[in-house]
Amino acid sequence: MTIGGMENVEVFTSEGRGRGLKATKEFWAADVIFAERAYSAVVFDSLVNVVCHTCFKRQEKLHRCGQCKFAHYCDRTCQKDAWLNHKNECSAIKRHGKVPNENIRLAARVMWRVEREGGGLTEGCLVPVDDLQSHVEHFGEEALKELRGDVDTFLQYWPPQSQQFSMQYISRIFGVINCNGFTLSDQRGLQAVGVGIFPNLGLVNHDCWPNCTVIFNNGKIELRALGKISEGEELTVSYIDFLNVSEERKKQLKKQYYFDCTCEHCQKGLKDDLFLGVKDDPKPSQEVVKEMIQFSKDTLEKIDKARSEGLYHEVVKLCRECLQKQEPVLADTNLYTLWMLSTVSEVLSYLQAFEEASHYARRMVDGYMKLYHPNNAQLGMAIMRAGLTNWHAGNIEVGHSMICKAYAILLVTHGPSHPITKDLEAMRMQTEMELRMFRQNEFMYHKMREAALNNQPMQVMAEPSNEPAPALFHKKQ
């Protein structure tokens, strides 16, 4: 079946995985297979005052809804665009006297839309929203307890004059949100700011080494091809970050999405040898490796604690010590080494110790390049950050080369119109100009660079956070 605007895909029964989507024509890397606006979406509780409730852009000054004093918008245009979806919410908040959490707000928005348009297929959707997987029947005791709490609060919030739904239906919608909620990011794609339901995206099955990626761009999601996709081939995305051994990825997918991953990478344990890599010459004993892994785990716990308390110099000290001990034992593709390299390069950049940070960032990128799909968005972002760090450190050749590499990846994963790709293009042009100057006269280049940096405050890297990069799907932890 195909639907207007969705003619590039069709729904089919995927062997052992229920429904899926397959391509109805051939695609190449960077092609947009389809774009989809959210069926319903909300801003996270913690960001309701700083993110527009319509376009999800982060803004300094937002206009507040004069009625409920809760919703915030960039301007009158965003406010007008929101009214159809906000109207019921606005009066419900006033009647209820307080604002419920994001999960309840999203469930209510879904049900007001069902009330308006009926529960069947809506325009441009390949599947009714309440036909998406909910997995309520697989919930454990803890999840069920949370669900009952959400349903109770929802019933107090839901207006008596609105259409009344059965408890079973309400529970099902919460299940759908739990399994299909997609993370919305700010305009630069660097911070998760909300959660939305996209029914067509909900049909795309998981693969740890997928042929597509999803990006939130200018108020809608785009499903983009990562390489050549043949007509009739199933479209897949990865629900989780690839950077883990297959056993751990399978556990995570089973726990969060209730299925057993049977992708080729999990079945064959591809790349597991690299994730667990140890030095070759001399090869350490199993006992030594085991001790090193335990030491790394303990250090990561200490790092998390120091980070949460803002003790960044302590974080750097812990990372340095751990990397020194790992050096003769673990390979540079080993997960524990990579986690240390990623943390220390990020924190040192924040502390503006760019020279040392650049060395760790290069090692991290070398490891990532051997592990990630060449067109992985996380890889592109990591190379971009490493390129910036090297540029700050004055390593113009390495910095430019990394920025070019990151730009090539983001053209595929984000497309040329995404704000972060545009930022990266500007950086690429600037570093190219600097590189030409550097090659003509190295001494003069360093003199000019020094003067420029003295006159203009150096771009400060964002404060490191314990938050990982926005995951594809929003899971309540």
Side-chain angles (χ1 to χ4, degrees), residues 18 51 55 131 174 221 259 306 312 374 378 421 424 462:
V51 171
C55 67
D131 209 13
F174 276 111
I221 61 108
F259 69 84
Y312 297 125
Q378 305 271 56
T421 317
L424 202 44

Side-chain angles (χ1 to χ4, degrees), residues 179-215:
C179 288
N180 300 274
F182 178 82
T183 306
L184 307 180
S185 46
D186 62 4
Q187 58 269 48
R188 291 220 153 11
L190 299 174
Q191 187 191 15
V193 294
V195 56
I197 295 291
F198 297 82
N200 298 331
L201 177 62
L203 292 169
V204 181
N205 283 318
H206 164 86
D207 194 297
C208 289
W209 199 260
N211 55 16
C212 298
T213 189
V214 190
I215 200 73

Side-chain angles (χ1 to χ4, degrees), residues 83-308:
W83 185 240
L84 181 65
N85 290 311
H86 177 57
K87 189 167 61 171
N88 298 101
E89 177 183 74
C90 191
S91 56
I93 287 171
K94 284 192 294 182
R95 188 190 71 87
H96 188 51
K98 55 179 186 283
V99 181
N101 71 33
E102 63 219 22
N103 237 29
I104 288 153
R105 287 188 285 116
L106 183 54
R109 281 190 163 217
V110 167
M111 283 183 257
W112 277 313
R113 185 153 177 189
V114 169
E115 179 183 36
R116 270 198 319 273
E117 299 173 5
L121 274 179
T122 51
E123 195 189 343
C125 286
L126 297 168
V127 62
V129 70
D130 49 13
D131 209 13
L132 292 168
Q133 287 282 8
S134 75
H135 290 293
V136 172
E137 67 279 11
H138 297 128
F139 277 21
E141 199 38 59
E142 199 49 47
L144 278 172
K145 192 176 153 196
E146 207 170 306
L147 174 66
R148 284 193 288 269
D150 278 348
V151 172
D152 283 349
T153 310
F154 174 86
L155 290 169
Q156 293 163 33
Y157 172 64
W158 189 250
Q161 69 274 21
S162 287
Q163 182 184 337
Q164 297 305 302
F165 295 96
S166 70
M167 295 281 271
Q168 191 182 356
Y169 186 85
I170 298 167
S171 300
R172 178 168 178 75
I173 294 297
F174 276 111
V176 164
I177 290 168
N178 191 49
C179 288
N180 300 274
F182 178 82
T183 306
L184 307 180
S185 46
D186 62 4
Q187 58 269 48
R188 291 220 153 11
L190 299 174
Q191 187 191 15
V193 294
V195 56
I197 295 291
F198 297 82
N200 298 331
L201 177 62
L203 292 169
V204 181
N205 283 318
H206 164 86
D207 194 297
C208 289
W209 199 260
N211 55 16
C212 298
T213 189
V214 190
I215 200 73
F216 185 64
N217 186 13
N218 205 11
K220 55 187 187 295
I221 61 108
E222 294 171 349
L223 185 75
R224 306 177 67 91
L226 291 177
K228 182 177 180 289
I229 297 173
S230 307
E231 184 182 337
E233 194 179 327
E234 178 167 13
L235 304 168
T236 55
V237 292
S238 181
Y239 294 179
I240 57 171
D241 185 15
F242 177 67
L243 220 61
N244 219 329
V245 288
S246 50
E247 212 40 60
E248 286 303 316
R249 289 199 310 272
K250 280 163 82 169
K251 264 192 223 162
Q252 193 182 343
L253 288 161
K254 183 74 172 171
K255 183 176 173 224
Q256 295 188 350
Y257 301 99
Y258 310 100
F259 69 84
D260 295 300
C261 187
T262 55
C263 79
E264 189 187 15
H265 273 69
C266 282
Q267 280 188 325
K268 296 181 178 170
L270 300 179
K271 305 220 179 225
D272 281 359
D273 55 336
L274 291 172
F275 286 134
L276 302 169
V278 295
K279 285 281 158 69
D280 266 343
D281 192 23
K283 207 176 172 75
S285 69
Q286 278 185 310
E287 195 49 48
V288 167
V289 173
K290 210 173 138 186
E291 277 174 24
M292 191 63 254
I293 299 292
Q294 192 50 57
F295 177 77
S296 304
K297 282 181 180 171
D298 295 344
T299 305
L300 281 167
E301 275 184 31
K302 289 177 191 166
I303 286 170
D304 279 348
K305 187 174 182 300
R307 264 181 107 148
S308 64

Side-chain angles (χ1 to χ4, degrees), residues 384-385 387-388 391 396 399-400 403-404 407 420-434 459:
M384 177 184 81
R385 283 192 295 270
L388 256 177
W391 174 78
I396 184 64
H400 176 66
I403 283 166
C404 288
Y407 182 63
I420 200 115
T421 317
K422 287 179 173 173
D423 284 355
L424 202 44
E425 186 179 20
M427 285 178 221
R428 185 178 64 92
M429 285 160 78
Q430 184 185 334
T431 54
E432 197 172 304
M433 188 180 69
E434 287 187 21
Q459 179 198 348

